[in-house]
Amino acid sequence: MADVGLLIVRLVIGLTFIGHGTQKLFGWFGGAGISGTGQWLESLGFRPGGRIWAILAGALELLAGAMLCVGVLLPVAAVFVIVVMLDAIITVHWRNGYWADRGGFEYNVVLIATVIALACVGPGNDVLFILP
């Protein structure tokens, strides 16, 4: 059952990061795409080159999400998530305090802790087709 639990965590977090990455890169799922995300990042002080930062953030999120879903290179995926989440904490959420209901960094910390745990424990065995 531990393998099932690890698979669920990997898929939920991985698919979430794939979604965030594709929002930034392609404008999918209501995202702003590279141009809109780049403009937003420039408004936060990422100058010059908000578009470059949008591509970098989107690519890290997409790659990290894919690696989590597949269960490969979890320490690398964790580093990608940690970099993006620390950036989000510093540039957006820190000023709002800890709690997410006030725009704080609570959720970012939960994601960081989760990917660190996955990197430490490993992906588990593939159990997509095994029923308990």
Side-chain angles (χ1 to χ4, degrees):
M1 293 309 293
D3 291 330
V4 173
L6 288 169
L7 177 65
I8 291 168
V9 171
R10 283 185 11 239
L11 289 177
V12 169
I13 303 298
L15 290 171
T16 298
F17 271 93
I18 288 172
H20 278 280
T22 58
Q23 285 178 319
K24 288 175 181 68
L25 293 172
F26 311 119
W28 296 356
F29 309 112
I34 293 170
S35 180
T37 302
Q39 289 173 1
W40 175 70
L41 289 171
E42 286 184 4
S43 78
L44 294 174
F46 287 83
R47 293 179 188 231
R51 288 177 57 87
I52 293 168
W53 290 109
I55 292 168
L56 181 60
L60 287 177
E61 289 175 343
L62 180 59
L63 286 172
M67 289 188 293
L68 287 166
C69 285
V70 176
V72 298
L73 301 173
L74 293 187
V76 175
V79 169
F80 290 173
V81 169
I82 291 166
V83 165
V84 173
M85 291 299 98
L86 286 176
D87 179 56
I89 289 169
I90 292 165
T91 59
V92 178
H93 300 289
W94 185 262
R95 66 179 165 266
N96 299 319
Y98 183 74
W99 301 110
D101 66 338
R102 294 184 174 95
F105 54 92
E106 170 189 8
Y107 180 62
N108 308 92
V109 171
V110 170
L111 290 170
I112 289 170
T114 302
V115 296
I116 289 172
L118 284 171
C120 291
V121 172
N125 294 318
D126 279 333
V127 290
L128 284 173
F129 304 105
I130 297 173
L131 298 175

